Amino acid sequence: DMPALQQYVAAAMSARDDGVARRAITLWLGPPATRAERVESVFRGDRSTIIYPAVSAAISRQRTDLLDRVLGKPLHGRFLKEGVRHVPLFDGCFHRWLPRQIAGYAEMLTDLAAEQLADTRERAGAVRRMGRLPGVGAATVRPFLADATGSVVDAALATLAWTDRPDRVIAELLAYADGDRAKIGRAHV
């Protein structure tokens, strides 16, 4: 409620120090009454601001119209160098998204999970997030059961129980009950 202070915060978003800029972006997006309008200007100014929770949360929950500029497009800028792939961590917002936006995010997650040169934790995390998307079926997750990396296989097995029709994968989960992955299969049946 202090316009002069908000002007200083807005100016600080372009500070040379990334930490100062990040904090300014977070503060500037703080007031709920202006967040939707402000997040568009922040994101339009630099697409790489999507790495900050305040920006990704505002886009995924309030300004879902901006998702089309996020999904499947390079997000490089000041905070993400060109050539670096970033898949934002969206959660608890998918009921607000259009089916094509969910499909676009599922494609981003699938591409990351299939990228053999990507960090194993990121790949496994992408597989786990797939199961939380509405409408994502076991067919999307199932290919990762044959991955060469154990943690990705474990993530795929655990994720099967969270897909859109978990009743259809019970037999599949039970098939792992006596093998090396028994703890994963039993935990999700």
Side-chain angles (χ1 to χ4, degrees):
D1 294 333
M2 299 172 62
L5 180 59
Q6 287 298 318
Q7 288 176 350
Y8 286 121
V9 172
M13 290 190 299
S14 60
R16 286 181 181 239
D17 183 300
D18 287 351
V20 171
R22 176 184 47 82
R23 182 73 175 129
I25 289 168
T26 302
L27 289 171
W28 205 60
L29 294 178
T34 57
R35 186 178 302 134
E37 173 189 318
R38 289 180 177 189
V39 75
E40 181 176 14
S41 106
V42 168
F43 187 67
R44 185 180 302 139
D46 186 344
R47 296 167 49 76
S48 68
T49 56
I50 193 73
I51 69 168
Y52 296 125
V55 175
S56 64
I59 288 174
S60 67
R61 292 189 171 108
Q62 291 178 283
R63 289 298 306 269
T64 57
D65 59 305
L66 298 175
L67 284 169
D68 295 328
R69 300 182 198 170
V70 174
L71 303 173
K73 298 188 178 177
L75 297 168
H76 60 272
R78 174 181 174 181
F79 306 104
L80 280 172
K81 300 303 175 212
E82 195 165 343
V84 174
R85 178 181 20 194
H86 176 73
V87 178
L89 299 175
F90 297 125
D91 195 28
C93 54
F94 305 117
H95 63 285
R96 300 172 187 260
W97 292 21
L98 297 172
R100 69 176 161 75
Q101 293 168 327
I102 292 170
Y105 190 52
E107 186 176 327
M108 286 177 78
L109 292 172
T110 302
D111 289 348
L112 175 58
E115 178 56 55
Q116 296 296 317
L117 298 176
D119 180 78
T120 302
R121 289 171 297 176
E122 290 177 354
R123 293 181 61 227
V127 171
R128 279 190 294 276
R129 283 194 304 275
M130 278 184 233
R132 306 291 188 198
L133 295 174
V136 171
T140 304
V141 176
R142 202 171 274 122
F144 297 102
L145 290 171
D147 197 89
T149 308
S151 60
V152 174
V153 174
D154 288 347
L157 186 56
T159 299
L160 281 176
W162 294 100
T163 55
D164 61 344
R165 292 295 310 265
D167 57 316
R168 293 186 178 170
V169 296
I170 291 174
E172 199 166 354
L173 291 172
L174 287 172
Y176 287 90
D178 292 332
D180 293 340
R181 306 244 183 280
K183 65 179 181 184
I184 305 295
R186 274 188 243 132
H188 296 282
V189 172

